[in-house]
Amino acid sequence: MSKTIIISNRLPVQLQISNGDITAIPSVGGLATGMKSVHSGGDSLWIGWSGLTDEEIPDVLAPKIDKALAEHGSSKVRLTKEEVNGFYFGFSNRTIWPLFHYFLEYSEFELSYWETYKTVNQKFADAILEKAGEDDTIWVHDYQLMLVPQMVREKRPNISIGFFLHIPFPSYEIFRTLPWRREILQGLLGSDLIGFHTYDYERHFLSSVRRLLGLEVSFNDIYLDDRVIKVDSFPMGIDYKKFHEAAHEHAQRNESQKSELQKRLDTHKKSAPDAKFFLSIDRLDYSKGIANRLKAFEYFLNKYPEYKEKVRLIILAVPSRSNVPQYKLLKKEIDELVGRINGELSTVSWTPIWYFYRSMPFENLIDLYTSCDIAWLTPIRDGMNLVAKEYIATRTDKTGVLILSEMAGSANEMNESLLINPNNFEQIADTLYQAINMPKKEQQERNGILQKRLERYNVEKWANDFMTSLVNQKEKEDVYVSRRLSVDLMNTVMNSYIDAKKRLVFLDYDGTLAGFHNDPQKASPDEALYKLLDEISAQPNTDMYLISGRDKETFTKWFLPKKYNMIVEHGVWLSQNGKDFHMLENVKKDWMAKILPVLESFVDRTPGSFIEEKNYSLAWHYRNTDPDFGQKRSVELNTVLTSLIANDDLSVLNGNKVMEIKSSNVNKGRAAMRVYAEQDYDFVFAIGDDWTDEFMFQELPDDSVTVKVGRQKTTAKYFVDNTKNVRDILARFAKKR
Ligand code: ADP
Ligand code: G6P
């Protein structure tokens, strides 16, 4: 039976050695806590790092490690101390984490970290390859493992791979500063589906793919030579039931069943029934804005002094990545801030801030969530922030106020909370005031809506949506637009080719026989191509036509001496057996004077674009422009042209990064049919890559073999992936086998 393999750096548990034995403690962090619920419910294996380095594990304990992990459905990747330093503390948390959270000044671009990151990603990929069957689904998680999808794909081209990023994907302007930006993108593109928490992260990623790799992106599909990758947003949910039920159960407890923490909280509540507890829970991370929050708290108490002795801030900070210098500094800063504020403001009966620096068992988290009136979360930047969702889920009587930073991914789905900008102290102080004074009814109305949404879009639904999308993507690939011209199908085509009495072969040039080049004049034919075309055109009873949108001067230079048959400028001109070109269609060109200035104005305003003036058409090329900008301009030009040419018999062809304006009665389909009608052909073949070739595919007789190069939508019967496949077909035609 097929299974899902979850792969992430963190496993659901972290192993520790205490008193000479192995103990497993639950991992903190959104990835591990969220995926844990998904993992426990299904048939999956979770591969990751145990949290201990090879050097830390004494030989006697080694066998116990596998056992301890197996109890949690997990399997380990072994890492040495040096690897953990370069891969985890280094590239993951000193390069990527700060960069992707817009802390550019903290990012270290250190070659040795990168080298270790690659080595360790390969280790994770190898661990997958060792365990994965061909029908298994691989789900790779987070920024520590961005090269893994491609590393697996290289060895298992057909396996299904999903990737989910749990942190923000930064804007192109930030991402481009990374020296290894292309390698990271290529690593991710080994996936079939790439998921993000929000649409913004998705759009930043697609923009980087377009700009840095120059790949074709249509809506949220990325077109590679041989595959289509889907990119989508799936906001991660929580295990709503688990938190909600735990809170219900918590409310039923009698005095003796309560935890020590709860008893302490209750005592304080009793002594000052009007006092409000503010709660913040985060890993101790600079992205969480803890220092800012402390300063804002002080600001609030100065602005609204009447709340002194009436409010208390409970800060729970979980130790995290403490080997990284920025985290050490942050710890020091927070210790000092808490000390200073408490020192300055405390009274004999009041300590404004309670500060815990530790991990807490689930039960204590519930104590805090259910006892605090206001959850106050102010990340400077956060991929999602599950704590915000967990707080709402535990509010069984629907009271409580959530104040949440706009910079958290979860803010997108939590509009009913009080959203703040974490840098705006004035706004924060006023929002705290608003929260303290919010009527119960309003609290319940807001939380009621939030709870409904969280309950519906829970972590299980999130994982199911991702998995369904991955399965659909894989299926779509198999039956994408048309059928792949497989070896078997090509054998059948060859049989017809060999048996035919009279053959007609149409070959498009750019994107079919030759790849694209920034300068169209440089995409000239190579010797190998000439050789293949020579062989095919020399075959008896075979009429081979090059059929192209190119101008006749270029094709005259490249191909007339070879005496190949040619149709150019989309069907305006025909040359047969080395004779000069003559016009196939009587076309007008008086419209050009009107359109040319329009195109020129677009060239002026779109750096990198240029006009190609052909004898009977005008083409605006935008391959060399900024991809997003070029795309936008092409839409704009389309609108302008449509209104301008309404009364002329003209049409606009949207080719591959080119728009061409020409007479409506000229197209490749019409031209191909004129040639077809000249003789009695019993084998017709046509191949091409773009929109202009669709006319041929549509008009040629039904029993023709029509082939699209690439994966876009087509009316061709078959598709092949790239120009290399086209050469393989030509080689078989040439050899007739
Ligand atoms: P991040 O993933 O950046 O750490 P999230 O808010 O998305 O932030 O996830 C944090 C997760 O860690 C939550 O599921 C939360 O319950 C858990 N957690 C946070 N603090 C503690 C703590 N002190 N003890 C145990 N679990 C914690
Ligand atoms: C974030 C990351 C996770 C990571 C977690 C805890 O949620 O997205 O990948 O596991 O923080 O960080 P740590 O470095 O302890 O794994």
Side-chain angles (χ1 to χ4, degrees), residues 10 28-31 88 93 97 142-144 166-167 283 320-321:
R10 280 277 174 230
V28 289
L31 187 169
Y88 174 72
N93 290 318
W97 178 273
D142 230 359
Y143 64 100
Q144 300 91 345
H166 291 258
I167 65 173
R283 275 181 309 98
S320 185
R321 308 172 195 165

PDB file of all heavy atoms in Angstrom, residues 10 28-31 88 93 97 142-144 166-167 283 320-321, ligand 2:
ATOM      1  N   ARG A  10      12.804  19.116  11.821  1.00  0.00           N
ATOM      2  CA  ARG A  10      12.283  18.755  13.154  1.00  0.00           C
ATOM      3  C   ARG A  10      11.329  17.582  13.062  1.00  0.00           C
ATOM      4  O   ARG A  10      10.462  17.555  12.185  1.00  0.00           O
ATOM      5  CB  ARG A  10      11.480  19.910  13.739  1.00  0.00           C
ATOM      6  CG  ARG A  10      12.281  20.988  14.353  1.00  0.00           C
ATOM      7  CD  ARG A  10      12.693  20.696  15.762  1.00  0.00           C
ATOM      8  NE  ARG A  10      13.593  21.753  16.199  1.00  0.00           N
ATOM      9  CZ  ARG A  10      14.770  21.547  16.772  1.00  0.00           C
ATOM     10  NH1 ARG A  10      15.204  20.329  16.997  1.00  0.00           N
ATOM     11  NH2 ARG A  10      15.522  22.562  17.135  1.00  0.00           N
ATOM     12  N   VAL A  28       8.531  22.126  19.797  1.00  0.00           N
ATOM     13  CA  VAL A  28       7.682  23.313  19.663  1.00  0.00           C
ATOM     14  C   VAL A  28       7.863  23.872  18.253  1.00  0.00           C
ATOM     15  O   VAL A  28       8.678  23.396  17.491  1.00  0.00           O
ATOM     16  CB  VAL A  28       8.019  24.429  20.695  1.00  0.00           C
ATOM     17  CG1 VAL A  28       7.594  24.011  22.067  1.00  0.00           C
ATOM     18  CG2 VAL A  28       9.470  24.795  20.631  1.00  0.00           C
ATOM     19  N   GLY A  29       7.101  24.877  17.922  1.00  0.00           N
ATOM     20  CA  GLY A  29       7.176  25.443  16.568  1.00  0.00           C
ATOM     21  C   GLY A  29       5.991  24.948  15.772  1.00  0.00           C
ATOM     22  O   GLY A  29       5.509  23.825  15.964  1.00  0.00           O
ATOM     23  N   GLY A  30       5.506  25.834  14.907  1.00  0.00           N
ATOM     24  CA  GLY A  30       4.288  25.574  14.160  1.00  0.00           C
ATOM     25  C   GLY A  30       4.334  24.317  13.311  1.00  0.00           C
ATOM     26  O   GLY A  30       3.365  23.558  13.256  1.00  0.00           O
ATOM     27  N   LEU A  31       5.472  24.082  12.662  1.00  0.00           N
ATOM     28  CA  LEU A  31       5.561  22.929  11.755  1.00  0.00           C
ATOM     29  C   LEU A  31       5.306  21.632  12.525  1.00  0.00           C
ATOM     30  O   LEU A  31       4.417  20.856  12.184  1.00  0.00           O
ATOM     31  CB  LEU A  31       6.953  22.914  11.120  1.00  0.00           C
ATOM     32  CG  LEU A  31       7.274  21.917  10.017  1.00  0.00           C
ATOM     33  CD1 LEU A  31       8.599  22.278   9.383  1.00  0.00           C
ATOM     34  CD2 LEU A  31       7.274  20.485  10.416  1.00  0.00           C
ATOM     35  N   TYR A  88      22.137  23.756  10.112  1.00  0.00           N
ATOM     36  CA  TYR A  88      21.020  24.242  10.937  1.00  0.00           C
ATOM     37  C   TYR A  88      21.314  25.621  11.529  1.00  0.00           C
ATOM     38  O   TYR A  88      20.620  26.599  11.228  1.00  0.00           O
ATOM     39  CB  TYR A  88      20.709  23.207  12.033  1.00  0.00           C
ATOM     40  CG  TYR A  88      19.674  23.665  13.024  1.00  0.00           C
ATOM     41  CD1 TYR A  88      18.336  23.759  12.668  1.00  0.00           C
ATOM     42  CD2 TYR A  88      20.036  24.016  14.325  1.00  0.00           C
ATOM     43  CE1 TYR A  88      17.383  24.200  13.583  1.00  0.00           C
ATOM     44  CE2 TYR A  88      19.088  24.450  15.245  1.00  0.00           C
ATOM     45  CZ  TYR A  88      17.766  24.546  14.862  1.00  0.00           C
ATOM     46  OH  TYR A  88      16.841  24.985  15.761  1.00  0.00           O
ATOM     47  N   ASN A  93      19.541  29.062   9.714  1.00  0.00           N
ATOM     48  CA  ASN A  93      19.128  30.068  10.695  1.00  0.00           C
ATOM     49  C   ASN A  93      19.986  31.324  10.765  1.00  0.00           C
ATOM     50  O   ASN A  93      19.654  32.257  11.500  1.00  0.00           O
ATOM     51  CB  ASN A  93      19.003  29.401  12.071  1.00  0.00           C
ATOM     52  CG  ASN A  93      17.797  28.464  12.083  1.00  0.00           C
ATOM     53  OD1 ASN A  93      16.742  28.802  11.554  1.00  0.00           O
ATOM     54  ND2 ASN A  93      17.976  27.270  12.629  1.00  0.00           N
ATOM     55  N   TRP A  97      16.625  32.108   7.370  1.00  0.00           N
ATOM     56  CA  TRP A  97      15.587  32.597   8.297  1.00  0.00           C
ATOM     57  C   TRP A  97      15.567  34.135   8.344  1.00  0.00           C
ATOM     58  O   TRP A  97      14.518  34.749   8.105  1.00  0.00           O
ATOM     59  CB  TRP A  97      15.771  31.989   9.696  1.00  0.00           C
ATOM     60  CG  TRP A  97      14.761  32.489  10.678  1.00  0.00           C
ATOM     61  CD1 TRP A  97      14.862  33.619  11.447  1.00  0.00           C
ATOM     62  CD2 TRP A  97      13.471  31.924  10.967  1.00  0.00           C
ATOM     63  NE1 TRP A  97      13.724  33.784  12.212  1.00  0.00           N
ATOM     64  CE2 TRP A  97      12.849  32.749  11.937  1.00  0.00           C
ATOM     65  CE3 TRP A  97      12.780  30.805  10.511  1.00  0.00           C
ATOM     66  CZ2 TRP A  97      11.590  32.495  12.452  1.00  0.00           C
ATOM     67  CZ3 TRP A  97      11.519  30.544  11.031  1.00  0.00           C
ATOM     68  CH2 TRP A  97      10.932  31.378  11.988  1.00  0.00           C
ATOM     69  N   ASP A 142       9.516  22.942   4.655  1.00  0.00           N
ATOM     70  CA  ASP A 142      10.204  24.123   5.179  1.00  0.00           C
ATOM     71  C   ASP A 142      11.602  24.422   4.651  1.00  0.00           C
ATOM     72  O   ASP A 142      12.209  23.653   3.932  1.00  0.00           O
ATOM     73  CB  ASP A 142      10.192  24.083   6.707  1.00  0.00           C
ATOM     74  CG  ASP A 142       9.704  25.411   7.265  1.00  0.00           C
ATOM     75  OD1 ASP A 142       9.404  26.312   6.466  1.00  0.00           O
ATOM     76  OD2 ASP A 142       9.645  25.558   8.499  1.00  0.00           O
ATOM     77  N   TYR A 143      12.046  25.608   5.103  1.00  0.00           N
ATOM     78  CA  TYR A 143      13.225  26.249   4.516  1.00  0.00           C
ATOM     79  C   TYR A 143      14.530  25.501   4.739  1.00  0.00           C
ATOM     80  O   TYR A 143      15.512  25.779   4.084  1.00  0.00           O
ATOM     81  CB  TYR A 143      13.347  27.682   5.072  1.00  0.00           C
ATOM     82  CG  TYR A 143      13.598  27.739   6.565  1.00  0.00           C
ATOM     83  CD1 TYR A 143      14.866  27.954   7.085  1.00  0.00           C
ATOM     84  CD2 TYR A 143      12.549  27.537   7.468  1.00  0.00           C
ATOM     85  CE1 TYR A 143      15.092  28.002   8.450  1.00  0.00           C
ATOM     86  CE2 TYR A 143      12.772  27.580   8.839  1.00  0.00           C
ATOM     87  CZ  TYR A 143      14.047  27.803   9.317  1.00  0.00           C
ATOM     88  OH  TYR A 143      14.263  27.831  10.683  1.00  0.00           O
ATOM     89  N   GLN A 144      14.538  24.571   5.676  1.00  0.00           N
ATOM     90  CA  GLN A 144      15.783  23.830   5.904  1.00  0.00           C
ATOM     91  C   GLN A 144      16.040  22.841   4.761  1.00  0.00           C
ATOM     92  O   GLN A 144      17.169  22.396   4.577  1.00  0.00           O
ATOM     93  CB  GLN A 144      15.713  23.038   7.220  1.00  0.00           C
ATOM     94  CG  GLN A 144      15.500  23.872   8.471  1.00  0.00           C
ATOM     95  CD  GLN A 144      14.008  24.038   8.800  1.00  0.00           C
ATOM     96  OE1 GLN A 144      13.145  23.769   7.957  1.00  0.00           O
ATOM     97  NE2 GLN A 144      13.706  24.482  10.009  1.00  0.00           N
ATOM     98  N   HIS A 166       6.849  26.939   5.514  1.00  0.00           N
ATOM     99  CA  HIS A 166       6.121  27.404   6.714  1.00  0.00           C
ATOM    100  C   HIS A 166       6.473  28.834   7.099  1.00  0.00           C
ATOM    101  O   HIS A 166       5.944  29.356   8.063  1.00  0.00           O
ATOM    102  CB  HIS A 166       6.405  26.470   7.891  1.00  0.00           C
ATOM    103  CG  HIS A 166       5.797  25.114   7.723  1.00  0.00           C
ATOM    104  ND1 HIS A 166       4.650  24.722   8.361  1.00  0.00           N
ATOM    105  CD2 HIS A 166       6.166  24.065   6.947  1.00  0.00           C
ATOM    106  CE1 HIS A 166       4.349  23.476   8.011  1.00  0.00           C
ATOM    107  NE2 HIS A 166       5.257  23.058   7.148  1.00  0.00           N
ATOM    108  N   ILE A 167       7.396  29.429   6.372  1.00  0.00           N
ATOM    109  CA  ILE A 167       7.791  30.811   6.712  1.00  0.00           C
ATOM    110  C   ILE A 167       7.453  31.702   5.507  1.00  0.00           C
ATOM    111  O   ILE A 167       7.071  31.187   4.454  1.00  0.00           O
ATOM    112  CB  ILE A 167       9.294  30.880   7.082  1.00  0.00           C
ATOM    113  CG1 ILE A 167      10.194  30.531   5.891  1.00  0.00           C
ATOM    114  CG2 ILE A 167       9.591  29.967   8.263  1.00  0.00           C
ATOM    115  CD1 ILE A 167      11.681  30.751   6.171  1.00  0.00           C
ATOM    116  N   ARG A 283       8.296  31.528  20.434  1.00  0.00           N
ATOM    117  CA  ARG A 283       9.697  31.119  20.576  1.00  0.00           C
ATOM    118  C   ARG A 283      10.492  32.413  20.731  1.00  0.00           C
ATOM    119  O   ARG A 283      10.101  33.453  20.193  1.00  0.00           O
ATOM    120  CB  ARG A 283      10.180  30.397  19.315  1.00  0.00           C
ATOM    121  CG  ARG A 283       9.872  28.934  19.278  1.00  0.00           C
ATOM    122  CD  ARG A 283      10.387  28.264  18.014  1.00  0.00           C
ATOM    123  NE  ARG A 283       9.976  28.979  16.821  1.00  0.00           N
ATOM    124  CZ  ARG A 283      10.723  29.841  16.156  1.00  0.00           C
ATOM    125  NH1 ARG A 283      11.961  30.097  16.553  1.00  0.00           N
ATOM    126  NH2 ARG A 283      10.278  30.454  15.093  1.00  0.00           N
ATOM    127  N   SER A 320      15.108  29.019  21.881  1.00  0.00           N
ATOM    128  CA  SER A 320      15.176  28.596  20.483  1.00  0.00           C
ATOM    129  C   SER A 320      16.531  28.993  19.893  1.00  0.00           C
ATOM    130  O   SER A 320      17.004  30.105  20.151  1.00  0.00           O
ATOM    131  CB  SER A 320      14.041  29.296  19.728  1.00  0.00           C
ATOM    132  OG  SER A 320      13.955  28.859  18.404  1.00  0.00           O
ATOM    133  N   ARG A 321      17.165  28.073  19.167  1.00  0.00           N
ATOM    134  CA  ARG A 321      18.375  28.341  18.362  1.00  0.00           C
ATOM    135  C   ARG A 321      19.431  29.140  19.128  1.00  0.00           C
ATOM    136  O   ARG A 321      20.012  30.104  18.601  1.00  0.00           O
ATOM    137  CB  ARG A 321      17.989  29.098  17.087  1.00  0.00           C
ATOM    138  CG  ARG A 321      16.881  28.372  16.346  1.00  0.00           C
ATOM    139  CD  ARG A 321      16.339  29.145  15.202  1.00  0.00           C
ATOM    140  NE  ARG A 321      15.076  28.527  14.791  1.00  0.00           N
ATOM    141  CZ  ARG A 321      14.178  29.082  14.008  1.00  0.00           C
ATOM    142  NH1 ARG A 321      14.397  30.284  13.517  1.00  0.00           N
ATOM    143  NH2 ARG A 321      13.064  28.450  13.697  1.00  0.00           N
TER     144      ARG A 321
HETATM  145  C1  G6P B   2       9.318  27.649  12.661  1.00  0.00           C
HETATM  146  C2  G6P B   2       9.852  26.929  11.443  1.00  0.00           C
HETATM  147  C3  G6P B   2       9.992  25.438  11.697  1.00  0.00           C
HETATM  148  C4  G6P B   2      10.800  25.205  12.942  1.00  0.00           C
HETATM  149  C5  G6P B   2      10.198  25.980  14.112  1.00  0.00           C
HETATM  150  C6  G6P B   2      11.009  25.832  15.380  1.00  0.00           C
HETATM  151  O1  G6P B   2       8.026  27.241  12.873  1.00  0.00           O
HETATM  152  O2  G6P B   2       9.012  27.153  10.338  1.00  0.00           O
HETATM  153  O3  G6P B   2      10.618  24.792  10.612  1.00  0.00           O
HETATM  154  O4  G6P B   2      10.853  23.837  13.254  1.00  0.00           O
HETATM  155  O5  G6P B   2      10.121  27.346  13.781  1.00  0.00           O
HETATM  156  O6  G6P B   2      12.348  26.147  15.162  1.00  0.00           O
HETATM  157  P1  G6P B   2      13.530  25.106  15.358  1.00  0.00           P
HETATM  158  O7  G6P B   2      14.729  25.792  14.833  1.00  0.00           O
HETATM  159  O8  G6P B   2      13.579  24.849  16.827  1.00  0.00           O
HETATM  160  O9  G6P B   2      13.209  23.864  14.608  1.00  0.00           O
END
